[in-house]
Amino acid sequence: MKKITIYILSISFLSTVFVGCKKDFLDINQNPNAPEKVDIKDVLPSAELAIGHVMGNNFQIYGGLWAQYWTQNPFSSQYKTIEQYSPAADDFDSPWKLCYADALQDLNYVIKKGNEEGKLQYVACAKILQAYTYQVLTDNFGDIPFSEALKNDEGIIAPKYDSQKDVYDGIIGLINEGLALIDPTATNGPSTNDLLCDGDMNKWKRFANTLKLRVYLRMAYVAPGKASAGIAALAGSDFLMAGEDIKINYSSTPGNTNPLYSVFSEISGTQNLVASATCLDVMYGTGSSFDDLRITVFYDTIAGQDYSGNYQGDLLSGIPVSQLSLPHPNTGANNSTKGNKPALSAAAPVKLMSDYESLFLQAEAVARGFMGGNEQTLYEDGIKASYMAYGLTDLDASAYFANPTYAYPSGGTLDQKIEAIINQKYFSMCGNQCNEAWTEFRRTGYPTFLVESAISNIGVGRMPNRMFYPSSEITRNPNMPGQHVIYDRVWWDVN
């Protein structure tokens, strides 16, 4: 029954996605697809699918290229402007609309109706998901509509933009409001219609606590006192555990496939993404065997069972695609028609948060002295969780961090510890949490081995630090504060 429900919702949702690709966008405070009366049990998964599409398609592509897991196939040009760091403003119309007019408006409806109907567990889920979505938006765009967003029923059709600092305060407020409503004993909450947690409100609580930990650590450099106090208040809280992800599962059933794979296979049919040498070469190492076995589950082999990546943005390399590794089907970014690869790629999940992210967040918080615990154990458990999530073993992981190059620097400086933790978070998120990896690179400056794209248009020594405001906001919202250049930093990016 659950698969049928997802399938029906996916057909409706995908029609919204492709309509959303047109230029005639409506105000972000209006959702033209929302019916007047609909059961919130159907609206919650619709919002989850909208968020999943943004994180698994639009932002996965940008994150994958700018975190340098992937690069443009040198014989095509679909993502050339992204590699040049000069995308067009209207490239961001679709994800902006999906977040505001679809996901956030749907979640607002769930909150309103859930309060009216006494279904407070739905309200809790919706507030936590709103917090997640607003963080994604502000981390990528900077200042965004928040305090006046979603208030079209109050006549606000051009919401003001709030500072990222204020948005972060609001995000924390939403998480706290959601946590205060969680009651695992309630009987009128979501169940299998909840695509992220199957209605497990204890898991929602762990998700919310882990999200709050992420939010506070994002402030670690710009507001360390606030970050420290906020994380200290999380003492004794439960976080996402090993083997526990916040993700949407897909299948090979048409209309229910991974959103990145669906675009590749149903629209373009071209393998636009290939492995970037930036990440692949470090994972490969310099020895006769791979340093990091995760290379085998994040990248496809070329002839001879070897691996090879293209220099980031080098469209003149002339290397045939047959001699370049592709993203593994586990990522959803592989458009091969060979064997079981289409089915694997179609069924690749979209992860909003993972168990390894949770463990690395905790490791960083302990290393900074913001909370108690064993930072080395958390670091090693994060690597184990990453390995085991893709069918490798804890013994494989143990052999990896037994290598002095990848061992936790327990006697090192704080900077050395943070670098080790973020580097491992980076490798773990290869092809599965690309946007978050790029965001953490901006926050911390790690890993240090990222390079400038060979076709960068923004000058030597510069990297992309944000996304552009969409053209729909430029033309329709007089309160839009003005377009930034792509290398302008967001509030928390002070490294």
Side-chain angles (χ1 to χ4, degrees):
M1 187 56 125
K2 183 180 179 184
K3 288 184 178 179
I4 295 174
T5 302
I6 296 174
Y7 177 78
I8 293 171
L9 286 168
S10 295
I11 294 296
S12 172
F13 171 71
L14 286 173
S15 67
T16 300
V17 171
F18 292 115
V19 168
C21 292
K22 297 179 181 178
K23 302 294 183 186
D24 52 338
F25 289 93
L26 298 175
D27 184 83
I28 65 167
N29 275 345
Q30 181 180 357
N31 182 353
N33 307 292
E36 290 298 318
K37 293 181 180 179
V38 64
D39 197 315
I40 58 175
K41 71 178 178 63
D42 296 322
V43 181
L44 177 64
S46 176
E48 291 172 333
L49 283 169
I51 298 166
H53 187 92
V54 171
M55 300 310 295
N57 183 336
N58 311 88
F59 287 179
Q60 187 83 323
I61 293 170
Y62 277 87
L65 291 167
W66 288 348
Q68 301 184 15
Y69 297 129
W70 306 327
T71 188
Q72 171 69 63
N73 167 358
F75 290 92
S76 60
S77 59
Q78 179 72 21
Y79 304 124
K80 181 179 179 179
T81 59
I82 304 177
E83 295 274 37
Q84 291 174 320
Y85 307 148
S86 56
D90 60 8
D91 291 345
F92 301 99
D93 282 330
S94 179
W96 184 273
K97 177 184 178 295
L98 283 167
C99 286
Y100 273 110
D102 292 337
L104 287 169
Q105 282 286 11
D106 280 352
L107 294 170
N108 219 38
Y109 179 87
V110 172
I111 291 169
K112 178 182 177 181
K113 290 296 183 182
N115 279 318
E116 291 175 359
E117 299 169 6
K119 296 179 179 179
L120 299 184
Q121 301 316 291
Y122 277 96
V123 178
C125 297
K127 285 181 177 288
I128 294 164
L129 269 184
Q130 279 194 335
Y132 178 92
T133 306
Y134 277 122
Q135 190 190 23
V136 167
L137 283 164
T138 192
D139 284 349
N140 284 284
F141 294 103
D143 298 349
I144 57 169
F146 181 81
S147 61
E148 291 185 354
L150 316 179
K151 293 185 177 180
N152 53 298
D153 56 347
E154 299 177 26
I156 301 176
I157 60 173
K160 72 174 185 178
Y161 278 59
D162 296 278
S163 70
Q164 189 173 31
K165 178 180 180 297
D166 288 344
V167 173
Y168 257 68
D169 289 341
I171 289 168
I172 293 167
L174 282 170
I175 297 172
N176 288 337
E177 290 168 12
L179 281 168
L181 293 172
I182 290 179
D183 177 7
T185 66
T187 58
N188 61 349
S191 58
T192 55
N193 61 311
D194 167 19
L195 306 182
L196 296 176
C197 299
D198 281 329
D200 183 343
M201 296 310 297
N202 284 311
K203 186 175 180 180
W204 273 100
K205 187 173 185 178
R206 293 189 291 273
F207 173 27
N209 287 332
T210 309
L211 178 59
K212 191 190 290 190
L213 180 59
R214 178 205 275 184
V215 168
Y216 277 121
L217 278 175
R218 206 78 95 212
M219 305 180 197
Y221 293 100
V222 70
K226 188 169 187 176
S228 175
I231 293 172
L234 285 168
S237 299
D238 292 328
F239 303 102
L240 291 174
M241 304 179 294
E244 190 172 59
D245 296 328
I246 303 299
K247 65 183 179 181
I248 296 178
N249 291 312
Y250 297 89
S251 76
S252 58
T253 304
N256 196 31
T257 57
N258 173 282
L260 185 54
Y261 173 80
S262 68
V263 170
F264 286 171
S265 63
E266 296 170 19
I267 298 178
S268 69
T270 300
Q271 182 63 51
N272 280 296
L273 298 173
V274 297
S276 170
T278 302
C279 178
L280 184 142
D281 286 357
V282 178
M283 296 186 80
Y284 194 104
T286 58
S288 57
S289 59
F290 313 129
D291 277 11
D292 191 340
L293 285 177
R294 286 172 293 190
I295 196 174
T296 66
V297 294
F298 293 151
Y299 295 105
D300 242 359
T301 56
I302 57 176
Q305 299 301 300
D306 204 356
Y307 294 87
S308 180
N310 201 41
Y311 187 89
Q312 193 70 35
D314 186 1
L315 300 186
L316 300 178
S317 68
I319 303 174
V321 176
S322 61
Q323 294 179 26
L324 292 170
S325 294
L326 306 183
H328 196 280
N330 286 332
T331 68
N334 187 303
N335 198 34
S336 172
T337 59
K338 297 179 180 178
N340 66 344
K341 290 181 181 180
L344 288 174
S345 204
V350 169
K351 296 185 178 183
L352 305 190
M353 295 195 84
S354 59
D355 55 351
Y356 36 87
E357 180 186 359
S358 174
L359 290 159
F360 290 129
L361 287 169
Q362 293 173 66
E364 180 180 349
V366 174
R368 290 185 180 277
F370 292 171
M371 63 186 289
N374 188 313
E375 62 206 73
Q376 180 170 340
T377 298
L378 290 163
Y379 169 87
E380 293 174 352
D381 285 350
I383 297 173
K384 288 180 181 179
S386 170
Y387 268 64
M388 296 175 71
Y390 291 93
L392 302 171
T393 70
D394 60 343
L395 294 177
D396 294 328
S398 296
Y400 172 74
F401 58 69
N403 183 329
T405 302
Y406 309 110
Y408 186 70
S410 55
T413 65
L414 176 60
D415 285 344
Q416 289 171 331
K417 292 177 178 181
I418 300 305
E419 180 174 17
I421 292 166
I422 301 301
N423 281 355
Q424 288 308 314
K425 183 187 290 188
Y426 171 85
F427 293 129
S428 298
M429 292 180 170
C430 180
N432 60 81
Q433 285 184 269
C434 298
N435 185 260
E436 181 61 18
W438 173 59
T439 296
E440 286 288 77
F441 166 71
R442 291 181 289 146
R443 176 178 74 95
T444 65
Y446 300 122
T448 60
F449 52 75
L450 269 61
V451 299
E452 295 170 34
S453 170
I455 55 173
S456 168
N457 280 344
I458 62 174
V460 176
R462 290 171 174 162
M463 302 281 271
N465 289 321
R466 62 166 66 233
M467 295 181 181
F468 288 138
Y469 289 127
S471 60
S472 55
E473 280 293 284
I474 296 171
T475 58
R476 293 175 178 269
N477 188 347
N479 290 317
M480 200 278 287
Q483 192 66 278
H484 288 270
V485 294
I486 206 164
Y487 49 83
D488 281 350
R489 298 182 178 215
V490 298
W491 165 67
W492 44 252
D493 182 4
V494 295
N495 262 345

